Amino acid sequence: MQIGILGAATTKFGELWGISPRQLVREVVAEALADSNLKLKDIDALYVGNMLSGILGGQENLGAFFAAELGLTCPAFKIEGACASGGLAVYNAGLAVRSGQFNHVLVVGVEKMTDHKPEEVATGLMGAGSDEERQAGATFPGLYALMAQAHMREFGTTEEEMAGVAVKNHFHASLNGKAQFTFGVTLEKVLQSTLIADPIKLLDCSPISDGAAAVVVSSQPKHKKPVVIKGAGVATDTLGLAERKSLTELAAAKTAASIAYKQAGIKPSDIDVAEVHDCFTIAEIMALEDLGFYKKGQAGKAILKGETTLGKGRLVVNTSGGLKACGHPVGATGVKQVVEIVSQLRGEAHKKQVGGAKVGLTHNVGGTGAVAVVHIFERA
Amino acid sequence: MQIGILGAATTKFGELWGISPRQLVREVVAEALADSNLKLKDIDALYVGNMLSGILGGQENLGAFFAAELGLTCPAFKIEGACASGGLAVYNAGLAVRSGQFNHVLVVGVEKMTDHKPEEVATGLMGAGSDEERQAGATFPGLYALMAQAHMREFGTTEEEMAGVAVKNHFHASLNGKAQFTFGVTLEKVLQSTLIADPIKLLDCSPISDGAAAVVVSSQPKHKKPVVIKGAGVATDTLGLAERKSLTELAAAKTAASIAYKQAGIKPSDIDVAEVHDCFTIAEIMALEDLGFYKKGQAGKAILKGETTLGKGRLVVNTSGGLKACGHPVGATGVKQVVEIVSQLRGEAHKKQVGGAKVGLTHNVGGTGAVAVVHIFERA
């Protein structure tokens, strides 16, 4: 069964104090529907990806919440899987379409984070962590710092290589009018930024963000520029780092990728453009290794050489600017990744277009790798 | 495609202060797997139904959380839809199996509520309500009281009829070793219990509960006593009561039921046994009307006459004791309803067995009817 993406849209990501989640969703859905050439009445089901609305705002029941806001009475569900909530919502929309029960399934990823105190957001995000990590007071920069330290020790990865991820993704974001950060950064600026959790510095971190993204998953991807889902995989792992065999790879991401590649019948070298989960710069380095693009210890060096930068490399990574510079409104991120890949495969990515991109991949991670979801898309 | 339920199990429901959510889930899954004649390695995906873990405990990412606890690395998802979270998890497991991607999908519904202060739980539960209701300080007894008042005014429904629901469901629960309340109540006792929100009294309310339930949804329901899913429907409505056309019916439940009946190719009079969402006694009266068992204004009178009581009626309702007396650990409720119907259709419900039950129905509601899910099951 051929399923694909019709419309795809994202709001601007950033500190959007003047706009409510309702309004973000209304705007992004209107744009995605227009792009789909569908009306609201054509939508058979709604999947909402969101992590923090319950913890930070006390509001649950988001499936029905946004269905009502949009004027829908169709089946509606909230999917939560920490920072992978958006990707998992897309994945479940795909299952729903494949089930034969629905033709057009709307997916909305949304998060409003900047209205809350940063300390509350940091604590809320630890809702993705293990009991032990939460009780120990760990935060995600600290956990990723442990992974970065291990990667440096095992493979000689350097702080400069990590900084290279930030430089590339800020450059890409500077070409993306929807990105939170559109300023460029230099290696020196990243390396000299405030130390957060050694070796992670301020400019190695993705920001706290607001935003929404939407796609329509369809059994009849009859768009003027159709993009089909060729493969999809999800896998899970322990929430806590302490129980993992390795700190330098995400087993869930490797498994999810192998399922998706097998389903798509393609190999890593077939991918032209990828959106990967760079919540911290070390995460992008591990992602490119877990996805089979580079051998362990090689990704950082390749990124620093520009191999994954627009206009330089064959495989271009995070043309949106990634979580790092486009922003990371948690539940929206996995959906935004799909929006970016769809725009690339349609040839509609404007200044950030990867020439001739035919096959794209998205890689969305929850927690420090407790859950991962990988999708592979192709221009039909 | 024929899909069905293999194993089905529930923990005891009640105030389970001495047992953690992890342990509840381990126990209930072990029992459901044994009943399925499956091993953990046979499980292809996990859906977790839960509402309050984020709001009350700060723990999200429950798909991966319980996958890891069980020793699974398969795809795992948390589905949240307020008090319908469990039923919606079963529904999504059904879609996942129908998609052809998975053969055996484990569904776990779980909630741990009694470890928290009642005020915190009441506030947390309002995460299912509309902004306006939350800001006004409404709680669910108050909202259902408005519906009860309207039902009394429009149809002459009496407080005695509502009390009849409690009497019946406490009687059924007295036959269920897993129920939270196993004591019987009389009409007088219910009518004389403390007034909570006029006309709802203490004994018209379902309790705050802990518990877990699990089922395995399978594309190969090759159990010695197979039970198949004949129909499933979900629909949504506004979160707030103020925007509804009627306070005396749940439009979402009516729509969900009509989809399920149509899919199953049966009519309400074919149902032998039903588990319905009696969070308050008025809710069961409305449910029996919304599901087409009785005309508006007739359900309360029928219940009071004993038409839906075990050993008396043709259609028996809430043999488990319902939310009212079996207990209402929110995320577990919708899954427990399925467990009860499966045991009835297998003829394994012991003292609470409905003789010759062949077709069963579950009706699970989120909020005051913002989302509803109806399943119809048949003995194969």
Side-chain angles (χ1 to χ4, degrees), chain B residues 163-187 190 203 275 278 284 303 306-313 316-322 324-326 340 344 349-354:
Chain B
V165 174
V167 172
K168 170 180 69 70
N169 290 351
H170 275 259
F171 166 60
H172 290 165
S174 74
L175 309 173
N176 178 4
K178 301 286 185 76
Q180 181 163 1
F181 298 145
T182 52
F183 57 88
V185 296
T186 60
L187 286 177
V190 178
L203 286 171
E275 287 281 307
D278 60 328
E284 177 161 329
I303 294 164
E307 286 187 18
T308 58
T309 305
L310 185 67
K312 294 186 182 176
V316 188
V317 177
N318 282 334
T319 49
S320 73
K324 173 68 199 84
C326 184
E340 177 63 20
Q344 289 286 349
H350 307 296
K351 281 192 278 187
K352 54 186 169 57
Q353 180 66 46
V354 175

Side-chain angles (χ1 to χ4, degrees), chain A residues 22 47 51-55 57-68 72-82 88 91-92 94-96 98-102 123-124 126-132 134 232-239 243 255 259 263 366-367 370-371, chain B residues 22 47 51-55 57-68 72-82 88 91-92 94-96 98-102 123-124 126-132 134 232-239 243 255 259 263 366-367 370-371:
Chain A
R22 293 169 183 276
Y47 281 81
M51 176 186 178
L52 294 166
S53 175
I55 290 184
Q59 180 74 59
E60 292 286 4
N61 215 5
L62 287 196
F65 182 93
F66 285 116
L72 292 167
T73 58
C74 64
F77 312 99
K78 172 186 153 187
I79 302 283
E80 191 277 329
L88 295 174
Y91 182 86
N92 274 278
L95 294 179
R98 281 187 196 281
S99 78
Q101 304 291 298
F102 306 112
T123 304
M126 279 312 293
S130 73
D131 285 357
E132 296 75 14
R134 293 170 64 212
V234 174
T236 51
D237 196 356
T238 63
L239 267 64
E243 296 123 40
T255 304
I259 295 167
Q263 203 173 86
V371 60
Chain B
R22 293 170 184 274
Y47 282 82
M51 177 187 178
L52 294 167
S53 175
I55 290 184
Q59 180 74 60
E60 292 286 4
N61 215 5
L62 286 196
F65 181 93
F66 285 115
L72 293 167
T73 58
C74 64
F77 312 98
K78 172 186 155 187
I79 302 283
E80 192 277 329
L88 296 174
Y91 183 86
N92 274 276
L95 294 179
R98 281 186 197 282
S99 78
Q101 305 290 298
F102 307 112
T123 304
M126 279 313 293
S130 73
D131 285 358
E132 296 75 14
R134 293 170 65 212
V234 174
T236 50
D237 196 357
T238 63
L239 268 64
E243 296 123 41
T255 305
I259 295 167
Q263 203 173 84
V371 60

Side-chain angles (χ1 to χ4, degrees), chain A residues 2-55:
Chain A
Q2 186 95 310
I3 70 168
I5 307 293
L6 286 177
T10 171
T11 64
K12 180 163 172 54
F13 282 12
E15 298 187 18
L16 311 176
W17 295 337
I19 182 168
S20 70
R22 293 169 183 276
Q23 197 180 336
L24 282 171
V25 168
R26 278 201 310 269
E27 283 182 15
V28 83
V29 168
E31 196 180 329
L33 286 175
D35 184 30
S36 305
N37 203 21
L38 293 178
K39 306 286 184 198
L40 257 184
K41 66 174 173 49
D42 300 317
I43 296 301
D44 299 313
L46 169 68
Y47 281 81
V48 175
N50 176 273
M51 176 186 178
L52 294 166
S53 175
I55 290 184

Side-chain angles (χ1 to χ4, degrees), chain A residues 8-11 13 24-25 28-29 32 107-111 211-215 329 331-337 339:
Chain A
T10 171
T11 64
F13 282 12
L24 282 171
V25 168
V28 83
V29 168
V107 183
V108 173
V110 59
E111 208 81 57
V215 299
T333 283
V335 184
K336 179 223 71 178
Q337 292 180 325
V339 175

Side-chain angles (χ1 to χ4, degrees), chain A residues 184-367:
Chain A
V185 295
T186 60
L187 286 177
E188 293 66 36
K189 189 168 174 186
V190 178
L191 290 167
Q192 286 163 19
S193 63
T194 308
L195 191 64
I196 303 292
D198 195 11
I200 291 178
K201 299 160 207 75
L202 183 65
L203 286 172
D204 288 302
C205 304
S206 59
I208 287 171
S209 316
D210 307 320
V215 299
V216 177
V217 180
S218 176
S219 60
Q220 299 146 5
K222 295 197 173 32
H223 193 274
K224 58 188 187 294
K225 296 177 182 175
V227 171
V228 298
I229 302 176
K230 296 292 286 183
V234 174
T236 51
D237 196 356
T238 63
L239 267 64
L241 291 182
E243 296 123 40
R244 305 259 181 95
K245 280 186 195 151
S246 169
L247 286 182
T248 56
E249 61 179 34
L250 306 188
K254 289 179 76 169
T255 304
S258 72
I259 295 167
Y261 283 132
K262 191 176 170 192
Q263 203 173 86
I266 67 155
K267 50 191 189 307
S269 59
D270 296 323
I271 305 290
D272 300 308
V273 58
E275 287 282 307
V276 308
H277 198 91
D278 60 328
C279 47
F280 300 94
T281 52
I282 185 64
E284 177 161 329
I285 291 172
M286 290 197 294
L288 298 198
E289 294 166 354
D290 291 341
L291 292 166
F293 298 136
Y294 292 98
K295 291 209 172 81
K296 293 303 294 181
Q298 298 306 309
K301 290 160 188 59
I303 294 165
L304 197 56
K305 277 197 284 183
E307 286 188 18
T308 59
T309 305
L310 184 67
K312 294 187 182 176
R314 207 210 68 78
L315 164 71
V316 187
V317 176
N318 281 335
T319 49
S320 72
L323 286 61
K324 173 68 200 83
C326 184
H328 183 28
V330 169
T333 283
V335 184
K336 179 223 71 178
Q337 292 180 325
V338 176
V339 175
E340 177 63 20
I341 293 299
V342 166
S343 82
Q344 288 286 350
L345 300 185
R346 285 182 184 169
E348 296 177 349
H350 306 296
K351 281 192 276 186
K352 54 186 167 58
Q353 180 66 46
V354 175
K358 284 188 181 167
V359 184
L361 177 148
T362 57
H363 159 276
N364 187 201
V365 171

